[in-house]
Amino acid sequence: MKLDILAFGAHPDDVELGCGGTIAKEVSLGKKVGIIDLTRGELGTRGTVATRDQESAKAAQILGASIRENLNMRDGFFVNDEEHQLTVIRMIRKYQPEIVLCNAIEDRHIDHGKGSKLVSDACFLSGLRQIRTAIDNNEQEAWRPKVVYHYLQWKNLEPDFVVDISEFNEKRVQAILAYSSQFYDPNSKEPETPIATKNFRESLDYRPRDFGRLIGKEYAEGFTTERYLGVNSLADLI
């Protein structure tokens, strides 16, 4: 299956938190979007791997993702080396996306920056014909996405552009809250984590609302890019 957009996250729920509204919007526009999680979030304080698997499947269904896969890299300990790059390259060549979305270039959790660099490097290497990969003994063709965009996460990095998700914010929140084990619940007996606080739960509204305010919309999601943005005309800008 060829995809238009492939979104990578170091952990299940990264994609939903960073670009869930954008995914839902692109799906509504007829784009085929896939999600790939690098790890299963097995080091997470709350919940279990089994619950995270169930939650991620439910969230992907809410967003309308065409596929969701997990690469089973080691949570907290994966590295940006040849073995891991080749694993990501196989996914890029398998789905041949035009656009790749991935973790923030810098963040509180060390896996976010590592995952960002790993995916970005793999996107470049995937276009080199002399790097040979195969799936099920079938040799893959070289493929390089046109662009790589990084969604924002914990840190307030300055976005290079924002996407209006006003009509899709409710679906975005539904997908995030599919991870019921991870977020604020006043009745939960689980240990508190940074994303399980009431403040973080409220940030699901006030942060995209603030990005929306900056472009005269209700809600928006921010992204950074590694290259200059190009537009056909000034009318392409809000």
Side-chain angles (χ1 to χ4, degrees), residues 197-214:
T197 63
K198 185 178 181 182
N199 189 337
F200 187 84
R201 172 63 181 86
E202 292 173 349
S203 78
L204 300 184
D205 182 78
Y206 67 67
R207 197 180 194 197
R209 185 181 288 275
D210 193 48
F211 281 139
R213 174 185 63 84
L214 296 174

Side-chain angles (χ1 to χ4, degrees), residues 10-49:
H11 314 104
D13 78 20
D14 282 355
V15 167
E16 288 82 0
L17 286 165
C19 60
T22 300
I23 288 176
K25 182 173 187 175
E26 294 294 340
V27 169
S28 78
L29 296 173
K31 299 299 178 62
K32 290 184 177 180
V33 183
I35 301 173
I36 294 181
D37 304 306
L38 302 184
T39 78
R40 296 178 76 190
E42 63 270 21
L43 295 183
T45 301
R46 295 163 65 101
T48 65
V49 168

Side-chain angles (χ1 to χ4, degrees), residues 145-149 160 225-230:
K146 292 179 179 178
V147 291
V148 178
Y149 298 138
D160 292 316
T225 180
E226 301 174 26
R227 51 179 280 183
Y228 285 115
L229 292 171

Side-chain angles (χ1 to χ4, degrees), residues 91-148:
M91 294 297 101
I92 295 169
R93 291 177 172 181
K94 178 180 179 179
Y95 292 112
Q96 299 184 342
E98 304 296 328
I99 297 171
V100 162
L101 307 177
C102 61
N103 288 96
I105 59 174
E106 176 190 355
D107 214 38
R108 181 187 68 86
H109 197 301
I110 61 172
D111 281 355
H112 295 173
K114 285 193 300 178
S116 173
K117 182 63 173 169
L118 168 60
V119 172
S120 179
D121 288 352
C123 284
F124 176 82
L125 294 171
S126 181
L128 301 180
R129 297 177 183 275
Q130 295 304 318
I131 297 177
R132 303 190 184 282
T133 60
I135 291 183
D136 297 329
N137 295 319
N138 295 315
E139 186 169 348
Q140 295 178 295
E141 295 182 6
W143 181 269
R144 182 175 294 148
K146 292 179 179 178
V147 291
V148 178

Side-chain angles (χ1 to χ4, degrees), residues 135-189:
I135 291 183
D136 297 329
N137 295 319
N138 295 315
E139 186 169 348
Q140 295 178 295
E141 295 182 6
W143 181 269
R144 182 175 294 148
K146 292 179 179 178
V147 291
V148 178
Y149 298 138
H150 304 266
Y151 47 81
L152 305 187
Q153 297 187 257
W154 184 268
K155 289 189 175 181
N156 287 326
L157 303 181
E158 183 175 353
D160 292 316
F161 67 93
V162 298
V163 176
D164 174 17
I165 61 163
S166 301
E167 296 181 18
F168 301 90
N169 188 62
E170 183 176 347
K171 183 170 287 190
R172 163 188 164 269
V173 173
Q174 288 175 0
I176 292 170
L177 296 184
Y179 295 90
S180 56
S181 68
Q182 300 302 303
F183 300 109
Y184 176 71
D185 177 358
N187 299 315
S188 175
K189 304 300 181 184

